[in-house]
Amino acid sequence: ESNDAVIIHTLQGDILEVNERAEELLGYTKDELVHIKLPHIHSGEERILAKKVENLKERGSARFETKFTRSDGSILDVEISSREVDPEKHIFQSIIRDNSIRKKYEQRLQSIHKHSTLMASAGSLDEIADIINQTLENVIGFSRGSFSLIEGNELCHKYVWHMYGVKLLKLPLDGPGITVRAARTGESQLIPDVDLDPDYYTADPHRKNRTRSELAIPIKTSDAVLGLINLENPVVNSFTVEDQKLLEIYSVYVASAIERLKEDAKKQKYSDRLEALHQHLSTLNTAQTEEAVIENTLELLADVLGFENISYIKVLDSSIKVIATKAWKSESLMDFEIPLDGIGITVNAAVSGEIQLVNNVREEPDFARPPGLPSYQPATELVVPVKVDERVVALIDVYSEKVAAYS
């Protein structure tokens, strides 16, 4: 038996014998087919058929793609491989393979790439979500699902479509859920029947609008999962491996668009902060005292640039001393003093005159925890020397509880 249709015929197209698959594929019975000539069911270009017949006559074989008309009038894309099996009687065997699935996949792939070009002009997450929704409906053929992003230790389903009664979901990455598993592992999840999956989680305990099959595709870069495209359907086994492959290709474009938005946001933030610094210069120029300069500087760092845990440190002859703080979450550091011949990241900045950026002070041997701060757990420290005539006169010191918080 063969998965392909097999037709035995003459050079003129008279059908002599067919297998069962040919009957199934073309929609005719064997008795009907042996009374039909091949040109009768051929719906491709006649000149192509004539050329292939000529190849058969001259070379004894031919291979080509064309179209056949089934008994119900529908058009079928096929691939034909023909060879001569009886040279004396000029009898040929043609193996006919259904090409419709491959052709449909190629058309959907082209549509995926066409829709993906829209991502290049998306200016917000809302626009990305709209494009994803259109793609799911127009190319994949499903509209029920969600677009989620990873925020911290949670998977946030920010955009939900046609999942009535389901609101914004925030799922912990260490909890249950098919989407959570996809986000955690970075691997696509094609689930024919969610009832058979132990990780399946529903936000609706009453099982309304019940999901039966699911397809979750990670949106990822080379080193991180950014979020997910998730499709659900109330019918078992709704999604195919081809759906999965198409969405995996599409997710690469989505990831690129998200990364571009992040980069644009960073550039805009930097530009805004730079502008704030320039505006602050005019305020400093009008300050009449050192205290006013320090106060304005700390306000800029906290209120405009968004830093927390800020200290202004005076460099004395043999020590450094905290003389002002702003936006500290913990106890005051006022009047805390360290000798210049001691250890500490701030001491290093004062002595060397160079900026000190430490992404994780917990692993830094020179980190000196100030006394009286048992509850505060610093991670990143940035110390910037303030110089007058190349002499360090002060330090601006900022802490963050996050590792690698500054750049």
Side-chain angles (χ1 to χ4, degrees):
E1 293 187 3
S2 173
N3 289 326
D4 297 324
V6 179
I7 297 179
I8 306 298
H9 58 90
T10 65
L11 186 62
Q12 292 72 31
D14 295 303
I15 297 175
L16 306 176
E17 186 66 60
V18 299
N19 66 351
E20 289 185 7
R21 178 59 180 145
E23 295 180 87
E24 295 171 3
L25 187 64
L26 299 173
Y28 292 98
T29 65
K30 177 181 177 180
D31 289 341
E32 291 172 325
L33 285 170
V34 295
H35 291 90
I36 296 175
K37 285 182 175 286
L38 278 176
H40 175 77
I41 58 175
H42 181 262
S43 56
E45 294 186 31
E46 291 300 326
R47 63 179 184 82
I48 294 179
L49 180 61
K51 184 177 180 180
K52 297 306 176 183
V53 170
E54 190 63 28
N55 286 344
L56 269 178
K57 185 177 180 181
E58 294 178 357
R59 304 175 187 174
S61 65
R63 186 169 184 167
F64 58 102
E65 293 184 0
T66 188
K67 298 177 184 292
F68 275 175
T69 302
R70 302 182 78 250
S71 62
D72 60 4
S74 60
I75 304 300
L76 186 68
D77 288 294
V78 295
E79 180 184 283
I80 300 178
S81 178
S82 300
R83 66 184 181 90
E84 194 171 30
V85 292
D86 189 337
E88 292 184 1
K89 297 181 179 179
H90 299 295
I91 305 299
F92 296 84
Q93 173 185 274
S94 288
I95 298 176
I96 303 168
R97 177 164 296 175
D98 184 359
N99 247 3
S100 56
I101 295 177
R102 181 174 67 83
K103 286 287 186 179
K104 183 179 180 181
Y105 176 78
E106 290 174 351
Q107 291 170 358
R108 296 172 82 197
L109 184 59
Q110 289 178 356
S111 295
I112 280 286
H113 288 305
K114 182 178 179 180
H115 279 74
S116 297
T117 59
L118 300 174
M119 285 291 174
S121 59
S124 66
L125 280 177
D126 287 347
E127 290 184 22
I128 289 177
D130 287 341
I131 295 170
I132 291 174
N133 190 16
Q134 293 172 24
T135 304
L136 295 180
E137 290 190 7
N138 299 335
V139 181
I140 307 300
F142 294 92
S143 59
R144 175 173 166 171
S146 62
F147 166 41
S148 57
L149 294 172
I150 291 178
E151 296 181 353
N153 294 318
E154 293 181 321
L155 179 65
C156 301
H157 291 260
K158 288 182 168 293
Y159 302 90
V160 178
W161 306 295
H162 305 292
M163 297 172 66
Y164 306 105
V166 177
K167 298 180 180 179
L168 175 65
L169 290 177
K170 291 186 176 181
L171 304 177
L173 291 176
D174 58 355
I178 292 170
T179 53
V180 168
R181 188 171 68 214
R184 190 170 55 240
T185 63
E187 298 178 356
S188 298
Q189 303 294 315
L190 175 58
I191 311 300
D193 188 348
V194 297
D195 287 349
L196 302 179
D197 194 302
D199 278 341
Y200 177 63
Y201 166 84
T202 176
D204 185 356
H206 302 294
R207 307 283 281 168
K208 294 177 181 178
N209 198 31
R210 186 183 180 199
T211 292
R212 292 303 306 277
S213 55
E214 187 167 359
L215 176 59
I217 306 295
I219 302 167
K220 56 187 180 181
T221 61
S222 59
D223 56 359
V225 177
L226 307 178
L228 287 177
I229 297 172
N230 185 55
L231 279 174
E232 300 184 12
N233 198 275
V235 178
V236 171
N237 205 27
S238 293
F239 306 108
T240 66
V241 173
E242 287 185 354
D243 294 330
Q244 176 181 328
K245 290 179 179 178
L246 287 170
L247 283 180
E248 285 173 343
I249 293 171
Y250 186 64
S251 70
V252 175
Y253 292 94
V254 179
S256 178
I258 294 173
E259 288 291 276
R260 176 177 53 79
L261 287 185
K262 287 183 178 180
E263 190 61 33
D264 288 347
K266 286 181 182 179
K267 291 178 181 177
Q268 185 61 50
K269 184 179 180 180
Y270 179 78
S271 177
D272 293 343
R273 297 171 92 190
L274 192 61
E275 177 63 27
L277 283 173
H278 288 311
Q279 292 178 3
H280 179 65
L281 290 176
S282 61
T283 305
L284 287 179
N285 289 332
T286 61
Q288 300 297 313
T289 64
E290 182 182 7
E291 288 75 14
V293 170
I294 294 171
E295 182 181 357
N296 289 339
T297 299
L298 295 183
E299 285 182 358
L300 169 77
L301 293 173
D303 300 337
V304 179
L305 301 185
F307 286 105
E308 296 179 335
N309 307 314
I310 312 162
S311 302
Y312 188 90
I313 303 171
K314 187 93 170 187
V315 178
L316 306 175
D317 291 336
S318 59
S319 65
I320 56 176
K321 183 178 181 179
V322 178
I323 62 171
T325 62
K326 182 79 172 180
W328 264 90
K329 293 181 178 178
S330 197
E331 297 91 337
S332 175
L333 284 175
M334 288 297 293
D335 298 324
F336 174 62
E337 193 168 351
I338 305 176
L340 284 174
D341 59 358
I343 64 169
I345 297 169
T346 49
V347 170
N348 292 344
V351 173
S352 69
E354 297 178 353
I355 294 173
Q356 304 291 309
L357 173 58
V358 181
N359 287 323
N360 190 352
V361 298
R362 299 163 195 170
E363 299 176 353
E364 175 59 47
D366 283 344
F367 174 65
R369 177 185 291 278
L373 299 181
S375 63
Y376 183 64
Q377 296 294 327
T380 308
E381 183 173 8
L382 173 62
V383 189
V384 179
V386 178
K387 298 180 181 180
V388 176
D389 296 329
E390 297 302 315
R391 184 171 64 90
V392 179
V393 298
L395 304 168
I396 297 173
D397 185 22
V398 294
Y399 280 115
S400 173
E401 294 175 79
K402 298 180 180 178
V403 173
Y406 310 131
S407 60

